[in-house]
């Protein structure tokens, strides 16, 4: 493993209470083709997870903040990848939330966005109260928290095929020895991206958790596409993913709308970005262009020109020093 300094803000903690929620209902009207397609995938994923080999890739890896980069646009499609920086505390930027289910490629997303904008992406667990412009979260999954109040203005939802995201989520849990408290996580933080989970551990976790995580993957999308559809009961205030807990079902419809999407912001995404496409050389620059389109022109958002996007996409992949899934193959059998 690398001896670089770990930035704990990029590792999600578990078992956090969300506090007060309110019940209000709106008529959802999801119309995106991709959303309807995703709704049909859940049952199929059950069979895929049970009968396919374990491919484990994780999106949240703490790295030295000094290695975070942004780009300089030289024009004519040329660029240079250099260090990013946080916005000044008094800048009052237009705020964007990056939301994803765990292990859905968020690390790659915020690296690409930092290269695109020169703005350091914040983390829900490290939010200090000042507007930072862009924040990543896994809320409403139990690995995320709504810590940023009403400081954000729009949502970009990030998705990854659950065939890969759910095993990847288990892999990081295995690397941190299934710890749930920060003091315990810190003891294992250097293990992240070092090895794949043993197959026997995956099978046990899969048999115990796969069905609920498939639902949580889908409900995470429903939450944003339907502007805050709340799939959990407020009595389940911890939502740490351990029984007993109570999720709503068909008999509980119409479901309440989460208070954050009523009082804090409109939760319907302005863009959907696919991690599976972002990492593909043929489609990755196009995904980054979608992000640029919803950030460009917003207050205190600095965004490269479209001509430079292919350049910065390539440089982000080329010059990133953060460990990736391939590092696990050094100490583990290939998946």
């Amino acid at each position: 493993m690398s001896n670089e300094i770990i930035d704990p803000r990029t590792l999600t903690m578990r078992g956090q209470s969300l506090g007060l929620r309110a019940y209000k209902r709106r008529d959802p009207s999801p119309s995106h083709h991709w959303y309807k397609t995703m709704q049909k995938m859940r049952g199929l994923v059950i069979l895929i997870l049970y009968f396919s080999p374990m491919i484990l890739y994780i999106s949240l890896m703490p790295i030295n903040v000094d290695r975070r980069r942004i780009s300089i646009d030289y024009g004519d499609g040329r660029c240079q990848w250099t260090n990013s920086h946080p916005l000044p505390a008094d800048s009052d930027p237009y705020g964007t939330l990056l939301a994803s289910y765990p292990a859905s490629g968020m690390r790659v997303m915020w690296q690409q966005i930092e290269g695109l904008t020169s703005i350091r992406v914040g983390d829900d667990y490290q939010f200090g109260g000042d507007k930072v412009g862009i924040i990543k979260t896994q809320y409403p999954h139990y690995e995320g928290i709504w810590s940023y109040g009403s400081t954000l203005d729009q949502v970009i939802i990030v998705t990854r095929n659950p065939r890969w995201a759910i095993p990847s989520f288990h892999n990081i849990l295995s690397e941190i020895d299934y710890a749930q408290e920060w003091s315990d996580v810190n003891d294992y933080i250097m293990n992240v991206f070092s090895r794949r989970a043993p197959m026997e551990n995956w099978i046990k976790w899969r048999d115990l958790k796969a069905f609920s995580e498939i639902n949580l993957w889908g409900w995470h999308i429903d939450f944003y596409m339907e502007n805050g559809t709340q799939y959990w009961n407020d009595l389940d205030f911890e939502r740490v993913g351990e029984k007993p807990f109570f999720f709503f079902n068909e008999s509980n419809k119409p479901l309440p709308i989460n208070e954050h999407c009523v009082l804090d912001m409109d939760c319907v995404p302005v863009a959907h970005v696919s991690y599976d496409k972002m990492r593909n050389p043929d489609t990755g620059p196009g995904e980054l262009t979608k992000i640029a389109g919803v950030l460009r022109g917003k207050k205190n958002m600095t965004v490269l020109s479209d001509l430079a996007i292919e350049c910065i996409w390539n440089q982000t992949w080329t010059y990133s020093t953060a460990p990736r899934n391939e590092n696990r193959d050094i100490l583990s059998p290939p998946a």
Side-chain angles (χ1 to χ4, degrees):
M1 285 294 292
S2 169
N3 293 323
E4 61 194 8
I5 299 172
I6 295 298
D7 176 5
R9 77 186 184 88
T10 58
L11 184 65
T12 306
M13 295 161 52
R14 308 186 67 204
Q16 301 295 316
S17 174
L18 295 175
L20 179 66
R21 303 185 183 93
Y23 292 121
K24 292 190 177 180
R25 177 66 179 167
R26 290 180 179 174
D27 291 328
S29 57
S31 59
H32 296 73
H33 175 70
W34 72 267
Y35 172 65
K36 295 177 181 178
T37 301
M38 293 250 183
Q39 286 182 314
K40 298 176 182 178
M41 289 177 63
R42 299 182 197 177
L44 185 61
V45 169
I46 295 173
L47 293 176
I48 294 175
L49 283 175
Y50 272 74
F51 294 102
S52 17
M54 180 177 55
I55 303 234
L56 304 165
Y57 183 94
I58 201 66
S59 63
L60 299 174
M61 175 60 198
I63 64 171
N64 188 321
V65 295
D66 290 334
R67 295 186 180 181
R68 292 186 166 211
R69 307 259 181 163
I70 67 164
S71 61
I72 298 173
D73 187 349
Y74 291 118
D76 298 325
R78 295 178 297 114
C79 69
Q80 180 181 347
W81 205 44
T82 55
N83 289 327
S84 63
H85 58 82
L87 289 173
D90 60 352
S91 62
D92 191 30
Y94 191 90
T96 298
L97 180 66
L98 304 175
S100 74
Y101 174 87
S104 293
M106 185 62 81
R107 181 180 63 91
V108 167
M109 292 297 174
W110 63 248
Q111 283 187 326
Q112 290 284 353
I113 290 172
E114 286 186 349
L116 177 71
T117 64
S118 82
I119 297 168
R120 186 164 298 164
V121 175
D123 183 87
D124 53 0
Y125 277 96
Q126 298 297 317
F127 180 73
D130 294 327
K131 291 186 176 182
V132 298
I134 307 171
I135 292 179
K136 60 184 177 69
T137 189
Q138 295 167 344
Y139 186 89
H141 191 275
Y142 55 81
E143 293 283 0
I145 56 173
W146 192 292
S147 59
Y148 29 85
S150 57
T151 63
L152 303 174
D153 303 285
Q154 65 179 8
V155 176
I156 297 174
I157 189 169
V158 178
T159 63
R160 184 185 187 187
N161 188 328
R163 161 67 180 88
W164 315 116
I166 293 173
S168 295
F169 176 39
H170 169 258
N171 198 65
I172 196 171
L173 297 178
S174 173
E175 287 175 320
I176 62 173
D177 201 36
Y178 306 93
Q180 296 189 34
E181 301 297 332
W182 174 248
S183 57
D184 297 326
V185 170
N186 197 47
D187 292 338
Y188 297 98
I189 198 169
M190 293 300 295
N191 291 345
V192 179
F193 269 106
S194 65
R195 56 180 57 84
R196 302 181 188 278
M199 181 64 73
E200 58 269 24
N201 288 7
W202 158 246
I203 292 173
K204 290 177 183 178
W205 187 89
R206 180 201 67 185
D207 291 348
L208 179 66
K209 293 283 192 176
F211 283 100
S212 64
E213 289 299 328
I214 290 168
N215 284 330
L216 288 169
W217 178 87
W219 291 336
H220 189 277
I221 297 172
D222 292 345
F223 177 87
Y224 288 100
M225 291 302 299
E226 297 174 358
N227 200 24
T229 298
Q230 184 169 300
Y231 55 81
W232 66 93
N233 189 296
D234 276 337
L235 297 177
D236 179 29
F237 60 94
E238 290 290 345
R239 289 201 302 117
V240 296
E242 301 292 341
K243 294 183 178 181
F245 51 79
F246 178 73
F247 296 135
F248 290 126
N249 55 43
E250 293 294 321
S251 67
N252 302 116
K253 289 187 174 181
L255 300 182
I257 295 299
N258 185 266
E259 67 164 357
H260 295 303
C261 301
V262 176
L263 303 177
D264 293 331
M265 67 185 301
D266 185 342
C267 292
V268 177
V270 296
H272 161 240
V273 182
S274 164
Y275 167 73
D276 306 285
K277 291 183 178 180
M278 179 65 86
R279 66 193 304 269
N280 186 319
D282 295 328
T283 55
E287 294 299 287
L288 193 56
T289 300
K290 290 196 295 186
I291 296 174
V294 298
L295 296 181
R296 188 177 289 119
K298 302 300 192 297
K299 183 180 179 182
N300 286 322
M301 289 289 109
T302 54
V303 182
L304 270 67
S305 69
D306 284 349
L307 287 176
I309 286 181
E310 184 172 359
C311 172
I312 191 57
W313 183 92
N314 281 293
Q315 288 207 12
T316 299
W317 283 107
T318 301
Y319 296 111
S320 172
T321 59
R324 297 176 179 171
N325 190 52
E326 291 78 8
N327 293 83
R328 291 191 172 119
D329 291 330
I330 298 174
L331 297 176
S332 307

